[in-house]
């Protein structure tokens, strides 16, 4: 898949991946974002994009129950197998944002 096809996989309600560059190498997807002062580049792991997509699939207003259950099961497995969620969320604030905003909103629906 190309970077353009990966960008098009984001739904219209979701924002574009941050940053101007989106590279995909084999099975690993890396999003490179620049800081506000553009002096430092930060790599965002594929985990953040996967968690964002699974949180979107857990939306019961947009998905069938079977899709929501599958997404929540996969999210549960991912959270249980992560070594240190706190450290990852500090290092990658978008991961914390996905869990706090998207996932919690869909759980409460």
């Amino acid at each position: 898949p190309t970077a353009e096809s990966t960008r098009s996989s984001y739904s219209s309600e979701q924002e574009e991946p941050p940053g101007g560059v989106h590279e995909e190498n084999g099975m690993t997807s890396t999003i490179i974002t620049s800081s506000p002062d553009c002096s430092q580049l930060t790599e965002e792991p594929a985990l953040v994009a996967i968690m964002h997509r699974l949180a979107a699939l857990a939306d019961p207003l947009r998905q069938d129950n079977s899709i929501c259950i599958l997404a929540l099961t996969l999210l549960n497995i991912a959270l249980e197998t992560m070594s240190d969620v706190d450290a990852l969320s500090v290092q990658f604030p978008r991961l914390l944002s996905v869990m706090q905003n998207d996932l919690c909103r869909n759980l409460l629906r």
Side-chain angles (χ1 to χ4, degrees), residues 29-86:
S29 159
T30 304
I31 298 172
I32 300 175
T33 59
S34 59
S35 63
D37 63 357
C38 296
S39 64
Q40 181 181 14
L41 291 178
T42 307
E43 287 189 21
E44 194 172 80
L47 170 68
V48 177
I50 292 169
M51 295 295 278
H52 188 266
R53 184 68 179 146
L54 287 174
L57 287 173
D59 187 352
L61 298 178
R62 298 184 182 265
Q63 305 295 333
D64 294 334
N65 283 340
S66 60
I67 300 291
C68 290
I69 291 169
L70 176 62
L72 290 172
T73 302
L74 292 173
L75 279 163
N76 187 36
I77 292 168
L79 290 171
E80 286 179 352
T81 57
M82 274 192 229
S83 60
D84 192 4
V85 177
D86 294 334

Side-chain angles (χ1 to χ4, degrees), residues 13-15 51-56 58-60 75 94-109:
E13 76 163 358
Q14 298 168 350
E15 68 274 359
M51 295 295 278
H52 188 266
R53 184 68 179 146
L54 287 174
D59 187 352
L75 279 163
R94 186 165 176 250
L95 179 62
L96 182 62
S97 173
V98 166
M99 289 191 291
Q100 284 181 337
N101 299 328
D102 301 338
L103 182 58
C104 287
R105 179 186 63 237
N106 291 336
L107 285 173
L108 293 173
R109 285 186 178 171

